[in-house]
């Protein structure tokens, strides 16, 4: 770096000193201004002299080379200024055969300032102050005079030392700074073995401090499966829905890979009063997901014990436990019934409202009419047939159920429950066996080779359900309980049970009586033979 810096200084100073030679600075200190003035108008001046040469070649081209009247008409309707872009596109002056370029009078107003600067800074120093025009030969001689300076400008070295200025660059070159810097570098090289030993000690210290953490959190995940410490990727504990889950990972956002983990994940946005924010992925491995929904709030304590306010923003729905899967079909069935009832009620309410509005409009238009006493017999007949069919089906099922021996009834009930719940439990068991932490870490930028399985017992250790403190008891007393409604529900339930019991007894007696009549009608000999 020292050699490169001083090399750039030397190249810059050498380049600057070349500009003071007579071969380059032909006009002395005015050479730079003259060169800049020539470069500003060079394309337009060469365009002008080329047009004049064409006019000398063929006089018929003069009108076309000076722009047509239509071009002037096109810009005449606009608001013009001397620097308008359309005006700058016109020639510098009127084109004619072998015509010189005027520098002051009769020039394009958009180029008047540049031509005046050309006359004052380049033409006057070379051809004298009275020169007000240029021929093609004079223009060629003028550009040739500053060609060496332009060539010198093109050889300017590209470096950052130009910003310190020429005088400071010369001062540094003649000073003792380079020797002092090289001496410091030599002293540093003398200390290289000691510094290398210090680096090795530092590297060994970092191995001693961090290698165990790396191995136990990236290779075999011993910290994650232990019971007495957090893994490196566990961010803290989330308290939500009467549960606390320790499997919380800090993430940038929801990841499509997370669904492959087969775990129930709630992405939460966490914030603090000082404005700090972060996003975590919390895995729930116990309980149920009935009351976990987007917008639910909780509290999150990070590993330093700092409190954050957490809100669920999205959920990856997967089975949480086999126990929750057992009740899942019944909850879905009840939820479906509630949704259908709500839809039917909403539709009926909307229809009733529409009919009432139509009836009100019609009544207002036609006047009051006596109420109709006609009944739609078809509707009544249809309702009766439907109720009768349903009643017959339920009675047949109930009769067959009651006719079975008493010891079979519990088995049939258990069998029906298993038929409904076993598929859901089987699917949940398969997914719980496949539950793994790997895809969640992959979605967060980790490179994981193992699957990092989360078994059912291990999941129960990661999520804790709320329990009553020792010695506490739950009070079942409700001071605002509606005793009359509770008594009515109990009476209705008791009446229903009595009716079912009576119906069962009647069906049982009727069945036994039919069997008795059957045996009495069979001849005695047949009975003996049987």
């Amino acid at each position: 770096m020292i050699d490169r810096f001083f090399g750039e200084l030397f190249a810059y100073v050498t380049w600057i000193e070349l500009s003071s030679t007579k071969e380059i600075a032909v006009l002395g200190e005015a050479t730079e201004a003259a060169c800049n003035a020539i470069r500003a108008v060079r394309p337009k001046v060469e365009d002008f002299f080329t047009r004049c040469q064409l006019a000398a070649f063929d006089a018929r081209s003069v009108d076309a080379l000076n722009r047509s009247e239509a071009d002037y008409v096109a810009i005449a309707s606009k608001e013009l200024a001397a620097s308008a872009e359309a005006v700058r596109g016109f020639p510098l002056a009127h084109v004619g055969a072998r015509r010189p370029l005027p520098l002051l009078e009769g020039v394009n107003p958009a180029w008047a300032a540049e031509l005046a600067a050309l006359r004052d800074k380049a033409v006057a120093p070379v051809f004298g102050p009275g020169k007000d025009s240029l021929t093609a030969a004079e223009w060629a001689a003028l550009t040739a005079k500053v060609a060496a300076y332009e060539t010198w400008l093109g050889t300017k070295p590209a470096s950052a030392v130009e910003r310190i200025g020429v005088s400071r660059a010369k001062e540094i070159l003649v000073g003792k700074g380079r020797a002092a810097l090289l001496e410091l570098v030599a002293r540093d090289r003398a200390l290289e073995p000691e510094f290398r030993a210090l680096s090795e000690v530092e590297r060994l210290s970092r191995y001693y401090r961090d290698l165990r953490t790396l191995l136990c959190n990236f290779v075999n995940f011993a910290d994650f499966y232990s019971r007495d410490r957090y893994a490196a990727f566990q961010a803290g504990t989330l308290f939500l829905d009467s549960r606390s889950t320790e499997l919380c990972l800090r993430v940038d956002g929801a990841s499509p890979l997370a669904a492959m983990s087969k775990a129930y994940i709630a992405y939460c946005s966490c914030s603090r009063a000082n404005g700090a924010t972060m996003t975590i992925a919390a895995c729930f491995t116990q309980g149920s997901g009935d009351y976990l929904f987007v917008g639910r709030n909780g509290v999150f304590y990070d590993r330093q014990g700092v409190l954050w306010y957490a809100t669920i923003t999205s959920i990856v729905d997967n089975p949480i436990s086999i126990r929750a899967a057992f009740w899942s079909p019944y909850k879905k069935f009840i939820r479906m019934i509630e949704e259908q009832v709500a839809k039917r009620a909403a539709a009926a309410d909307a229809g009733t409202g529409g009919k009432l509005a139509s009836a009100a409009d019609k009544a207002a238009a036609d006047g009051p009419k006596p109420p109709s006493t006609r009944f739609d017999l078809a509707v009544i007949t249809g309702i009766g047939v439907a109720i009768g069919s349903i009643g017959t089906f339920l009675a047949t099922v109930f009769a067959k159920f009651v006719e079975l021996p008493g010891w079979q009834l519990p088995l049939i009930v258990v069998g029906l429950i298993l038929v409904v719940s076993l598929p859901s439990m089987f699917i949940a068991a398969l997914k719980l066996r496949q539950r793994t932490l790997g895809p969640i870490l992959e979605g967060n930028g980790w490179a994981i080779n193992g699957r990092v399985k989360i078994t059912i017992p291990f999941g129960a250790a990661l999520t804790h359900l709320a329990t009553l403190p020792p010695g506490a008891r739950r009070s079942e007393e409700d001071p605002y309980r509606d005793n009359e409604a509770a008594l009515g529900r109990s009476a209705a339930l008791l009446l229903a049970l009595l009716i079912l019991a009576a119906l069962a007894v009647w069906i049982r007696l009727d069945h036994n009586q039919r069997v008795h009549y059957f045996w009495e009608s069979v001849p005695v000999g047949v009975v003996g033979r049987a």
Side-chain angles (χ1 to χ4, degrees):
M1 291 177 64
I2 295 171
D3 292 340
R4 184 171 67 250
F5 174 73
F6 280 92
E8 290 179 357
L9 277 181
F10 180 77
Y12 176 65
V13 172
T14 303
W15 179 77
I16 289 293
E17 290 177 347
L18 282 175
S19 65
S20 60
T21 61
K22 294 182 179 180
E23 293 80 8
I24 295 176
V26 291
L27 299 178
E29 295 181 356
T31 306
E32 181 179 1
C35 183
N36 292 335
I38 293 172
R39 295 170 73 179
V41 296
R42 174 177 285 153
K44 293 298 293 186
V45 172
E46 292 179 352
D47 171 78
F48 173 80
F49 285 121
T50 302
R51 289 174 182 268
C52 291
Q53 291 174 0
L54 287 173
F57 170 72
D58 192 342
R60 294 175 300 175
S61 64
V62 173
D63 294 337
L65 294 171
N66 280 291
R67 292 294 183 94
S68 64
E69 184 180 355
D71 294 334
Y72 288 96
V73 172
I75 66 171
S77 59
K78 301 177 182 178
E79 184 176 349
L80 296 177
S83 60
E85 199 63 32
V87 179
R88 291 181 68 86
F90 283 32
L92 289 178
H94 186 77
V95 176
R98 293 177 294 276
R99 190 172 186 271
L101 172 66
L103 300 176
L104 296 178
E105 299 295 335
V107 299
N108 187 333
W111 292 92
E114 288 86 344
L115 291 174
L118 175 66
R119 175 186 177 277
D120 297 337
K121 297 178 180 180
V123 175
V126 175
F127 298 106
K131 189 70 172 173
D132 293 336
S133 63
L134 277 178
T135 63
E138 291 171 340
W139 168 254
L142 182 63
T143 55
K145 197 169 185 66
V146 297
Y149 187 86
E150 288 187 299
T151 302
W152 170 80
L153 285 177
T155 61
K156 180 179 180 181
S159 64
V161 298
E162 181 183 358
R163 292 178 293 178
I164 66 176
V166 179
S167 58
R168 176 61 179 157
K170 292 179 179 180
E171 181 182 349
I172 293 174
L173 282 176
V174 299
K176 299 180 180 180
R178 182 170 187 175
L181 289 173
L182 292 176
E183 181 183 356
L184 290 174
V185 170
R187 290 170 57 186
D188 283 346
R189 284 177 175 170
L191 295 173
E192 183 178 0
E194 181 180 352
F195 181 78
R196 183 174 296 157
L198 289 174
S199 299
E200 292 296 326
V201 172
E202 180 186 4
R203 187 157 66 97
L204 181 61
S205 301
R206 291 182 181 275
Y207 274 129
Y208 179 79
R209 185 190 69 180
D210 300 329
L211 184 59
R212 187 257 170 215
T213 302
L214 176 67
L215 295 177
C216 294
N217 289 274
F218 192 80
V219 179
N220 62 7
F221 294 89
D223 285 354
F224 179 54
Y225 289 112
S226 69
R227 295 181 177 271
D228 57 349
R229 63 170 62 90
Y230 273 145
F233 48 79
Q234 289 179 264
T237 305
L238 174 68
F239 295 86
L240 193 146
D241 189 34
S242 301
R243 278 171 284 184
S244 65
T245 174
E246 299 175 358
L247 187 49
C248 300
L249 288 76
R250 189 164 183 173
V251 297
D252 295 330
S255 172
L257 290 175
M260 300 174 61
S261 67
K262 300 298 189 294
Y264 190 99
I265 306 173
Y267 287 95
C268 300
S269 174
C270 301
S271 61
R272 296 193 62 205
N274 61 2
T277 61
M278 70 173 175
T279 302
I280 62 170
C283 300
F284 287 87
T285 52
Q286 264 207 100
S288 66
D290 295 341
Y291 298 99
L292 296 175
F293 48 84
V294 174
R296 182 116 196 232
N297 297 315
V299 292
F300 174 71
Y301 284 91
D302 61 19
R303 298 179 62 161
Q304 286 73 38
V306 178
L307 171 64
W308 298 73
Y309 301 100
T311 303
I312 298 178
T313 56
S314 63
I315 289 177
V316 178
D317 193 4
N318 278 305
I320 297 180
S321 64
I322 297 179
R323 180 183 300 176
F326 178 85
W327 299 107
S328 176
Y330 308 102
K331 292 178 180 178
K332 290 180 179 178
F333 180 71
I334 293 173
R335 194 178 302 117
M336 182 184 67
I337 293 176
E338 291 176 350
E339 292 176 356
Q340 293 298 325
V341 170
K343 289 181 181 179
R344 293 294 179 88
D349 181 66
T352 303
K355 292 179 180 178
L356 289 176
S358 301
D361 295 339
K362 189 173 182 181
D366 300 340
K369 292 183 178 180
S372 175
T373 58
R374 297 177 58 188
F375 295 96
D376 193 343
L377 296 179
V379 174
I380 296 175
T381 303
I383 294 174
V385 170
I387 293 175
S389 301
I390 296 173
T392 303
F393 172 75
L394 294 178
T396 304
V397 172
F398 186 73
K400 295 297 182 183
F401 183 77
V402 171
E403 289 175 359
L404 296 172
W407 62 272
Q408 294 182 358
L409 300 181
L411 297 179
I412 293 174
V413 173
V414 172
L416 291 174
I417 293 175
L418 291 179
V419 167
V420 175
S421 298
L422 271 181
S424 177
M425 296 171 64
F426 180 73
I427 294 173
L430 287 179
K431 289 188 175 181
L432 290 175
R433 283 178 57 85
Q434 299 172 359
R435 192 168 54 182
T436 171
L437 184 66
I440 304 176
L441 294 175
E442 291 279 357
N444 199 29
W446 286 59
I448 302 300
N449 295 322
R451 291 195 300 166
V452 197
K453 295 185 66 175
I454 304 175
T455 61
I456 296 177
F458 182 47
L462 291 173
T463 301
H464 303 282
L465 300 176
T467 57
L468 292 176
R473 63 182 181 86
R474 194 183 304 276
S475 175
E476 302 293 342
E477 298 179 2
D478 184 3
Y480 303 101
R481 181 181 179 183
D482 190 350
N483 294 321
E484 294 182 1
L487 183 61
R489 289 192 295 269
S490 301
L493 179 61
L494 180 61
L495 180 61
L497 292 176
L498 290 175
I499 293 174
L500 290 175
L503 184 60
V505 171
W506 178 77
I507 293 174
R508 199 72 164 173
L509 292 175
D510 183 66
H511 172 72
N512 294 335
Q513 187 175 7
R514 288 199 303 272
V515 172
H516 178 69
Y517 287 159
F518 170 77
W519 285 110
E520 285 185 349
S521 62
V522 176
V524 177
V526 175
V527 174
R529 286 194 298 272

